[in-house]
Every structure is written in C-alpha cells, then in structure tokens.
Amino acid sequence: MKRIYQLILLLLVGLPTMAQITRPQSNPATPSLKVKGTDLDYFQPKEYIIGGTTLSGAKFIDKEVIITLSKLIKGERILLPGEATSAAIKTLWSQGLFDDVELNIDKIVEDTVYFDIQVVERPRLSSFELNGLTKSQKTDITEKLNSKSGKTIINENTYNSTTGTINKYLAEKGYFFTKIEYKTKPDPNMENGVVLQVFVDRGRKVKVHEVLFTGNKDFKSSQLRKYLKKTKQQAFYKVFGSGKFSKEKYEEDKEKLIAKMQEKGYRDAVIIKDTTYKYNEKSIGVKIDLYEGPKYYVGNISWTGNAKYATKDLTKVLGIEKGEIFSEEKLNVKLHGNGAESDDVSSIYLNDGYLTFNVEPVQTKIYNDTVDLEIRIYEGPQYTNNRITVKGNTITNDRVVLREVRTKPGDKFSKEALVRTVRDLGQLGNFDESKTVPTPKPNPSDGTVDIEYAVEEKPSDQVELSGGFGGGRVIGTIGLTFNNFSLRNILNPKAYRPLPKGDGQKLSLRGQTNGKYYQSYSFSFSEPWLGGKKPVSFGLSAFTSLQSNNVTGAQGTKIRLNGVTVSLGRKLNWPDNYFQLVHSINAQQYILNNYGGYLFSTGTSYNFNLTQEFSRDSRNSPIFPTEGSYFKFTIQATPPYSLLNNTNYATASDKQRYRFTEYHKWKFEGQWFQRLAGKFVVKAQAQFGFLGLYNKAVGQSAFERFKLGGDGMQGFDFLQGSELITMRGYANNVVIPVGADVNTARQSGSPIFSKYVMELRYPVIASQSATAYLIGFAEGGNTWNRFADFNPFNVRRSAGIGARIFLPIFGMLGIDYGHAFDNIPGIRDAKQNFTFSIAQQLGGFN
C-alpha cells in the first residue's frame, strides 16, 4: 500500500511535465518531454550521454544557436528524467522567438540519447499600419518605428516598445490618455512576415487643470507656479488656455523651479517627489512635494591664485557683497559670464589673452545660514593669435571672410574680438549666423593660439516679384539683388553661377511699370571694401522714372525724374567700433509738364546735394535682433543758391525760383532691442525728420518731403521726390498736418514728421531657410508744416498685430492688421486695417 501511494504521488508531480505546451501569448509553466518508443523510469533516473540534437520547424533562425541555447549539446551528460529538459524548454520560450516549443527524445541507444526540438517560429514584422492618427503624425511615428521592421520578431517586446514610442510622441503633442490596440495580417510580399496593425485612440489633448505644491513654507504656491514657464494651470482669465501638457517641458520646468529657488538663497531646495494624475477626461493635475531648506547668505569672500589683477579689482567686478542672499546662479554668471556679456571675471582675463584661465568658487564653510567662499583662480599664460583660418565658405572668397575677422595674427587672444567677429560675419548676410562656430586651438609650447572659423553658406540673392495698386492703376514690379557679387570676374565665363559671386559686393536691378503710363528703372552697386585693404565702402546708383497721361508718352508726359548717387563710407573706431560715417553726392533732375500738386507745375528743377550719415549699429542679428541698438543721424543739404546770387525771388518766375532746389534736411532714427522673458523681444523705435529752408522768399522745397501713413512702399510717389514713412492702421499718405489742404498735403508731403513705435516680437521659425516672427505693436506719429507747430506728443495713434517672414530669395515679407484710433479731418477713408510689406524693414527710411 505504501508503494501505491508513492506511485500516485510521483504521477501527480510528473503529469504536468509530460503535457505538450503551446504558447501563442505566454510562456508555459510546465514544459514537456515526449518519448518515442522508449519508457523512462521516473523512480530511477539514469544518466545518459547526448548523442546529438536536431531542430525541426525552424526556417529563419540559426539552428546551431538555438541548440546551443538549449544546452542539449552533443557529448554532454544528462540525467533523465531530470531538470535539464525542463530548463531547456523554458530557456527557448524565454527568447520570445516561438509560438510553440516541443522537446522529444528521438531515440536512446544503450546509454546515448538523441533529442529533437520541434518549434513553430513566430512571424516577423514587415511593416506598420497606423490608424487613428493624422497624416503628419503617421509620418513622424513611422520614421521612429521603421528601424524595427524587416528583422523584428512579433513578441511582447515589440508591442511594449511600439506602445512606448507612440505614447511618448503623442504625450509631447498633448495627448495624455492614449489607448492602443493591435492586430496582425499576413504580408504577401514577405515570407513569414506580417503587417502590424496599430489602432490608436488618442483621446483629447489634455491641459493642466491644477498645479499643487506641498512642503513649501517661505514660497507661496502662486509664486512657484510662475517659475513653471511651460507648465501652466488653467485659469478663467487665460483667453487662449494654458497650453497642452508636455512631459519633456515639464521635466525642464522642474529643473528651472529648483534653480529659481536656489537663486533666492535656498541652496538645499529639492523636489522630494512629484506625480501627475487624471483630473478629468480633458485635463490632468500635477502635485509637487518640495523641501525648501533654510535661506542662505554670503559670508566672507577670499581670493587665491590671482597675480594679474588685484583682489580689490576682482571683488569690484564680482559685485557680490557680504550679507546678500547667496545665489549660485548669480555667482556663476559673475565669474563665468552669460553669453556675449563681458562684465564678468572670466571675460577680463579672456579679453587679455588668458585663454586657459579658469576660476572655481569653493564653499569653504557653511555655518547657520551663512556660506563662506574661496574663489580659486588659475590664470595660466597669455596667448597670442597665430594662424587664423576659415572653412565652409564654398562661395565667398577667403579674403572677404578674413577681412571681417577681428582676431588678427600677432594680437593677444580676446574673447570679445571672437564674439564680435561672429556677429560681423552674420551681418554679411552670406552665412547662417547660428552655425558660425569659432574654435580656438591653443599651442602651449609657444604660447600661441590658432583660430578656425567654421561657417555655412546660405542663399543670399533675392528676387522681388510683386503687384500693387497705385495712382488708380495696377503696378508690376520685378527686382533682382545679388548680395555676394564679384565685379572683377564679370569677364570670366567660368565664374557665372548665374552671375559671378564671392567678393561680397552688392548689385541690384529693379523695374516697375504698369505699361506706358508709368515706368521706373533703377540700378545700384556697392563695394564694402574699396581697394580690398581698408573698410572703406563705395556705392553707385542711378535711376530714371517716367509717368505719362496717355499711351504716346510724348506730349502727355507729366513728370520725369532722373538721378545718380555716389557714396563713400568708412567704419570708425571712435567713439567705438560700431560707428560708421558715409558721405554721398546726389544729383537729380525733375521735369514737370502741367503736373499739379506742387509749388510749380511746369519746368525743370535740379537737385544737387551732399549727404552726411552718421550711424551706430550694435544689433546682434540683421534679421531678428534680440539685443543691441541702431542709431542713424543724417544731414542732407544743397548749396544755398538764393543767398549766392542777385535774383529777386519776390518777383522771380517759377522757372527761376525752382530751377535749383535748395534745402537742408535733418533726420534721426533710433531702434532699441531687448530680450524679455523667454523668447519675447521688445523693440522701441523713434524717428524724426525736418526739411528746412535758406530763404523765406524762396520758401520750402517742392521735393524731399515726408509722407506718413500706410505700408511705406514706393509706387508713383517715387517720382514725386518724397520719403514714405510707414504707419500701420492708416492709408497711404493720410497723416497730414492739421488744417492743411488735403489734396496738396497728400500729394506733396510735409516738411516735418515724427513717429514712435513699440513692438513685442516672438519668433516662430528660426532656420537657415526661413525666419518668421509674430508682432504686437503700438505706434504714433504726425506731420507738421511749421516748426512752430511741432509737438512731439501730439500724434495719431494705432495698434495691432502682424507677422514677418524672411526668405533668403525674397527678403522680408510682412502682413499687419492695425487699428487707427484717430480720424483725419477731411479724409473719409483714412483708416486702413491691412498693410503688406515686401523686402523692407517696416519703420525705416526708404
């Protein structure tokens, strides 16, 4: 009876082992061993030698590798029945390669056993079929998943990794509660291949309904929420909502939160834990548990290792006093700088040749709420610039690039000169300024440094193709601007691409017409380095314009304007090296035939004038400046003919009075750029223009006046010798002096104007192929006929929104919607909401 109980017990234990296991979805708990024609005595296990192992059913995997993994290798000894066979099957199941694994004893010859492993291979992934997503989402996710197709076995890991990839992508898009299901279907184009069908239910984009804090004592929760710049909780006053939740941006916000707390003196601040939870179907909640720690203050500050500069001088530059709140961020900025700023300790050394300078603040003692600092300095040797090279300029000649470089061989190394060079190369307009990278390569053996500037060419030529409406007719414009022209290669056929390039010169051709009624053609050429050795610029331009009142263009000619300008300019080193002085000589001819709206209607007038332009430009980018300023002061004057001859202008005819135009003209423009929180940039601008006279008997000049209002784009007004000043929200030329004759003032312009602009800008695209930004603006301006009436605070006002996009081939394109707050007496249609701009910077002189 006892042996019967033992037999029953052994059968109960061994029964699961003898069962065949097939697993389409999960590993078997009890693998089996099948025996062909041979009975094994489970009461008396016996040791055998493995005579060989075969693998059946495998077509796409390495059979030898699978046999090796099973450890049922020829020549090895094995106990049967025993754990080795169960372990072999479990090992093969764990690979995730098979839908079924069966181990059989093929035969036993005396003490030698032969095994056969029968498997059913899982299908391989041929491709993905995504459902429930937009076209762009399918494209993005497919790119991320494509590396898995072709060789991947369909198993749990495939599902898990695919789910993880999709969830991560959609979470960045604001979909937090995504559900994913899978199906498969055979792929007729791939043996044992299947298409993995992915059905995605994105759910709704979620917002952050609430952000809760615990553990905060000194910081209010409202204050902490402000530190989370990209994770904002919903509020009724947020018109455009709080934005989607982004896991990546949330992680960034957590780091910035702690950095802000440490900046306030809480150096021990840390996030103990944080959780996100489902608030409802549309939103989630965020809970952050903080440890603030005590608030610390700066104690004693000592310096070691400084020989070049005295401790008192370094302390002054550091600008941190004993007793003030301890902030590691402020300390690092004052020691190492922040971007291009040069008012930190490191910059003082780096601008004086100490390329390998290093400074390290050490917290030597922390007691109560005070931190003592020892600032350890390694000055190192002074380095001198040696070899200066440039790479990446595939079009622009080396000499054009190198002449803008301020780190000259033989000079002491200077960080400031390095940063300024990067800016100046960007100002050329031929390179992507974001990809201009300087690399100093020190040579410690001789105390020199080689500097390599890596640049990347970008398209700089521009084409203008536009249509407009002016003078009651449609006007077509075509313009070509070559910003990297090479005049010296004009006769070299091999240099045409499609014109000779590489010398940094500028050539512009422009034509404007609406047929035979109006035609205008202009040409300009500029050389920034005349002679190639000094930064002396040369410019030459010419134009001719004609407006007729009939198709014959002969007796019907109303007005014609011809002109030529020659200019010379040079960069200055005083008051600083951002200044430039330009001298210009201009000659213009006006021919009028019964053309009304001017001080005379028939006759010829000549305008010979000398222009002096004094400017300073420290903007860090020509397209989207984020800091710096631009100032330009211009004086333009003709000879005072009426004071040099004996003509009695009180009785003189129009032909005598206006044959030689005389005036003096003063203009000023100032722009300031400053980065605000995040990517926002504020621009402030002021403009002023005044046209003066020499002789009251002659009166004001008939030309060179100012027209304020509209888009500022030249049309027929170019013929009328006026400068067009944009003012959004108003129609072209409608901002006229109070009490002035409407028709005369709109046509001829005004001698005095002022204008003020405030813009808030936000970039949306910043790349080599395009730059785009949004604008919110408020501006005011006005015109006057007499200086005695001038009042800079009496302005017409407007405000609105707009957008700009800079495309290298077209230049700057813009659209604005402006609302004018003030009516213009006598002009019923003075307000104009939409204005467009092409290839110009709004607000500047044209």
Side-chain angles (χ1 to χ4, degrees), residues 628-645:
S629 60
Y630 172 72
F631 298 96
K632 182 170 68 174
F633 179 66
T634 306
I635 302 176
Q636 187 179 90
T638 66
Y641 302 108
S642 63
L643 303 180
L644 301 176
N645 57 39

Side-chain angles (χ1 to χ4, degrees), residues 300 302 304 326 331 335 359-365 371-376:
N300 298 313
S302 60
T304 62
F326 177 79
L331 179 63
L335 289 177
V359 58
E360 180 182 5
V362 179
Q363 300 175 20
T364 56
K365 187 177 181 181
V371 180
D372 285 349
L373 294 172
E374 180 180 87
I375 301 177
R376 300 173 183 175

